[in-house]
Amino acid sequence: MKAAKLVNYISEIHTFKHYGKVKRVIGLMIESLGPKSSIGDVCYIHVETKQNPKKILAEVVGFRDGNVILMPYTNIQEISPGSLVEATGKPMQVKAGPQLLGKTIDPLGNPLDSSPLPAGLKSIPIDRMPPNPLMRPPIREPIELGVRAIDSLLTVGKGQRIGIFAGSGVGKSTLLGMIARNTNADLNVIALIGERGREVREFIERDLGPEGLKKSIVVVATSDQPALMRIKGAYTATAIAEYFRDRGMDVMFMMDSVTRVAMAQREVGLATGEPPATKGYTPSVFAILPKLLERTGTNESGTITGIYTVLVDADDLNEPIADTVRGILDGHFVLDRDLANKGQYPAINILKSVSRLMGQLVDDAHKKAAEKIREQLSTYLNSEDLINIGAYKPGASKEIDEAIERYPKIISFIKQSTGQKCSMEESTQALIQLAETGDWA
């Protein structure tokens, strides 16, 4: 057996290498004469420094007039005309395995605390095709997120993909940390893309906490890193989640945020000569989004429940990225700034949010209770202005009277402190009790 492995290893070794030379650098783009390579291949750019020679990782992103266009994973200060470019002949790979649990890594798979990688990890490609649609089992089982408003009114299934749409500072990261701590998934894979460097440690220590971190793998690409590094952060995290799904596990996958991945792809597209389309986003942005988001979900082995945050400029839910992502995913939760300003947390606007699979995940009693609460919430909000100015007279409408009476209890039900965990069973029973009696405590 060992001999056969050795023969296979030797047969895969390249007996010669392809090289090229840097011709010019313009902005983010490096143009080189050669080497022989394909789109997506990783290359090493050899540079001479004052201390020791080193190699800069770069990826082939296009071709122009017979030259190879590369984009670097790191800074390019030391690159000079004539720097040697070495082709590896293969795309980027990272190492994955259970030993990564509790670790925070960069998009190349290296621990951010400079510790060595654990032994026993397996190399996996970061770019894969989504599962065959006919090989995806239907989603039939709910997954517990530990957030009362979601588990009861917006039930999510194992393998479902959800978007959290919100402006900045409305509580996305806090909600993600709460879900990571409370969910009954086997493990979490969390991608922090384009975050401020200050926020990374805050998220890990404050929002995620030791309890959440011990069953999580965090992939970080901060906003100061090159665009390609931010894109690869999303791909690396997705590939690690796929690794565990293929081993029969239920994975909770979170990405904060898809918008920053799209912005990074726009940078790459513009640098390689793509024409800007909708609001400056290039066509490649709208091509990679479905390919990336469709990789999560179910397959014949396990599930990846995907939660993607989407930054909406000026709280506009119809901007291009938000509109595209909403059309790909299986539901969306809208975090409302007005609710956050009123002190409601989580600031989920129940009436603007939807879980497209809830109807096939819950029983009739649960479904009817959720519909009734939504109806009462809608009745109150539609009449709120009249109620506040005293124009509504009690007794004029039985539905409005009931909605006024129950509204404080509904808001109390939706609110939940960050340290509080509610099981799905408790949330469902409380919802049914609230719908039937007007109280749930």
Side-chain angles (χ1 to χ4, degrees):
M1 190 69 178
K2 288 184 179 179
K5 284 185 177 180
L6 187 59
V7 169
N8 289 335
Y9 177 75
I10 292 172
S11 66
E12 291 173 1
I13 293 176
H14 292 286
T15 53
F16 60 94
K17 294 182 178 180
H18 295 278
Y19 290 95
K21 284 190 176 181
V22 171
K23 196 173 180 182
R24 60 181 170 182
V25 177
I26 302 176
L28 303 173
M29 182 186 69
I30 302 165
E31 197 170 318
S32 75
L33 187 61
K36 183 181 177 182
S37 53
S38 305
I39 294 287
D41 282 359
V42 172
C43 294
Y44 294 120
I45 301 175
H46 296 262
V47 295
E48 298 289 337
T49 63
K50 292 179 180 178
Q51 287 80 26
N52 295 306
K54 71 174 186 178
K55 297 188 285 188
I56 293 175
L57 273 176
E59 182 176 309
V60 178
V61 294
F63 306 99
R64 181 184 296 160
D65 300 327
N67 294 329
V68 178
I69 299 173
L70 301 137
M71 295 201 79
Y73 290 127
T74 55
N75 62 62
I76 58 174
Q77 271 76 5
E78 293 102 346
I79 294 176
S80 59
S83 291
L84 204 62
V85 181
E86 177 189 343
T88 64
K90 57 185 180 181
M92 181 179 155
Q93 294 189 334
V94 295
K95 293 186 179 291
Q99 300 89 335
L100 282 181
L101 283 171
K103 294 279 187 183
T104 302
I105 61 174
D106 67 14
L108 304 179
N110 303 312
L112 284 183
D113 59 2
S114 301
S115 63
L117 273 173
L121 300 175
K122 181 183 176 184
S123 292
I124 56 170
I126 66 166
D127 195 358
R128 290 175 57 183
M129 293 301 293
N132 185 326
L134 295 181
M135 301 302 288
R136 288 184 183 267
I139 298 170
R140 294 281 183 260
E141 187 180 348
I143 187 168
E144 182 179 299
L145 301 187
V147 180
R148 187 167 50 238
I150 296 175
D151 286 342
S152 59
L153 293 164
L154 300 162
T155 309
V156 176
K158 287 183 180 178
Q160 187 172 348
R161 297 160 305 142
I162 291 288
I164 297 179
F165 293 73
S168 56
V170 189
K172 297 184 303 299
S173 297
T174 308
L175 181 58
L176 289 181
M178 193 172 172
I179 293 171
R181 293 193 306 271
N182 296 345
T183 181
N184 64 354
D186 296 323
L187 76 155
N188 307 308
V189 178
I190 304 170
L192 302 178
I193 309 299
E195 289 282 350
R196 304 174 187 89
R198 171 186 62 81
E199 292 180 329
V200 173
R201 188 165 179 178
E202 281 186 11
F203 174 82
I204 292 170
E205 294 181 357
R206 184 191 65 194
D207 298 328
L208 195 57
E211 182 187 351
L213 182 61
K214 68 183 179 183
K215 66 168 189 175
S216 302
I217 300 168
V218 184
V219 181
V220 175
T222 51
S223 57
D224 59 293
Q225 293 182 293
L228 199 61
M229 199 73 153
R230 282 173 270 147
I231 296 169
K232 294 307 170 186
Y235 279 75
T236 295
T238 305
I240 291 171
E242 288 171 323
Y243 170 87
F244 289 101
R245 176 183 63 184
D246 292 344
R247 278 145 188 80
M249 302 179 81
D250 295 319
V251 183
M252 177 60 66
F253 177 75
M254 304 178 189
M255 185 183 294
D256 184 15
S257 71
V258 175
T259 309
R260 293 191 179 111
V261 177
M263 288 176 174
Q265 181 60 38
R266 177 173 62 183
E267 287 183 45
V268 172
L270 291 173
T272 54
E274 278 191 83
T278 313
K279 284 200 172 180
Y281 288 102
T282 57
S284 63
V285 174
F286 302 100
I288 71 156
L289 282 177
K291 185 181 175 185
L292 177 64
L293 301 181
E294 285 288 346
R295 286 171 63 180
T296 53
T298 61
N299 73 358
E300 60 271 21
S301 302
T303 67
I304 301 175
T305 304
I307 298 181
Y308 300 88
T309 67
V310 182
L311 279 169
V312 286
D313 293 334
D315 295 334
D316 177 16
L317 293 173
N318 294 316
E319 62 97 22
I321 300 304
D323 199 39
T324 301
V325 172
R326 189 167 58 241
I328 297 168
L329 299 179
D330 308 316
H332 54 273
F333 303 158
V334 177
L335 301 188
D336 195 313
R337 191 177 300 278
D338 290 337
L339 296 178
N341 292 340
K342 291 177 183 177
Q344 179 179 318
Y345 182 82
I348 301 172
N349 188 319
I350 300 297
L351 299 180
K352 289 184 179 179
S353 305
V354 64
S355 170
R356 294 181 184 172
L357 299 179
M358 181 176 175
Q360 64 195 50
L361 295 172
V362 301
D363 57 32
D364 289 340
H366 186 167
K367 193 187 302 183
K368 288 177 181 176
E371 288 172 355
K372 186 171 182 180
I373 296 302
R374 276 178 170 269
E375 185 180 336
Q376 290 175 341
L377 194 56
S378 176
T379 300
Y380 178 87
L381 293 176
N382 288 337
S383 309
E384 188 174 27
D385 291 340
L386 293 175
I387 296 166
N388 289 341
I389 64 174
Y392 174 75
K393 293 181 179 180
S397 168
K398 181 182 176 182
E399 289 79 12
I400 296 177
D401 289 342
E402 187 178 46
I404 293 172
E405 181 187 347
R406 295 191 175 189
Y407 181 73
K409 289 294 183 181
I410 293 173
I411 297 303
S412 171
F413 176 82
I414 293 171
K415 283 184 177 180
Q416 184 176 338
S417 64
T418 55
Q420 182 185 7
K421 179 179 179 180
C422 297
S423 70
M424 178 168 280
E425 186 179 355
E426 291 171 345
S427 300
T428 304
Q429 289 174 351
L431 176 73
I432 294 171
Q433 184 181 344
L434 178 63
E436 290 176 350
T437 67
D439 199 356
W440 62 277

